[in-house]
Amino acid sequence: MPSKFGLHGISANKIVPLVRRAHDGGAYYTVAKMVNDASPLVDIAAIEPRTITVARYTNPNPTYEALQGVENWTQSDREHFAQVSIQHIFNNANAAQLKAVKYFGVINEPDNKGFYDKAGLALIELAKEANRRNIKLALPALPQGTPEYADM
């Protein structure tokens, strides 16, 4: 039976034992997400293949991490953002992790208020590069409270 809970880990801590205990009890976590270390997701995928595994590696370029200044990006900037961001996944994940992770997150709490059209253009380039490299992306979410209803 699927749990209504997911796991989000900054470090491995006790995530794998929690998944194993749920599995042994006849349940499973719907989603497990790790940041900067996808190695626990290999174990989680082996224990419970129905769990959706998501990994995100913090982009070393803080501008890319949050789409800061996206309103001023040229098409070349957007393509570079996509190439660098997807390559960052391959620089950090080994073959077992690339196989175990179902979706990769690239953006964290985008700061593009008022420039959703420009952010969309950047995301199109990101999706194109991910498709070219044969990986699936987790859709980015806006941080809590952004956009405010009045701003939509």
Side-chain angles (χ1 to χ4, degrees):
M1 143 184 259
S3 168
K4 293 185 179 185
F5 296 100
L7 300 169
H8 181 250
I10 303 299
S11 66
N13 202 356
K14 297 180 181 180
I15 287 179
V16 173
L18 283 171
V19 169
R20 188 177 314 284
R21 194 159 80 193
H23 176 77
D24 292 348
Y28 66 94
Y29 288 95
T30 308
V31 177
K33 178 181 180 182
M34 293 298 300
V35 177
N36 294 329
D37 178 11
S39 58
L41 297 175
V42 174
D43 294 330
I44 290 169
I47 295 166
E48 183 47 73
R50 294 174 292 181
T51 296
I52 298 167
T53 51
V54 180
R56 184 176 71 79
Y57 298 100
T58 304
N59 197 312
N61 181 336
T63 299
Y64 289 169
E65 175 80 358
L67 296 180
Q68 293 175 339
V70 71
E71 67 274 15
N72 298 314
W73 291 4
T74 65
Q75 178 62 19
S76 178
D77 293 335
R78 290 187 288 270
E79 290 169 359
H80 186 260
F81 151 74
Q83 291 164 358
V84 167
S85 297
I86 298 301
Q87 184 58 46
H88 186 60
I89 293 168
F90 286 92
N91 291 347
N92 284 280
N94 63 34
Q97 294 163 356
L98 289 168
K99 183 177 178 183
V101 174
K102 293 179 181 164
Y103 299 96
F104 287 92
V106 174
I107 301 164
N108 189 45
E109 298 183 358
D111 184 22
N112 56 326
K113 185 177 177 183
F115 302 103
Y116 303 112
D117 55 342
K118 301 296 185 182
L121 293 173
L123 295 178
I124 289 169
E125 293 307 319
L126 192 62
K128 286 167 41 179
E129 184 66 14
N131 284 339
R132 187 180 77 74
R133 300 292 299 270
N134 200 31
I135 61 170
K136 294 181 180 176
L137 296 178
L139 294 174
L142 297 172
Q144 183 177 355
T146 306
E148 297 297 336
Y149 187 76
D151 295 332
M152 294 173 46

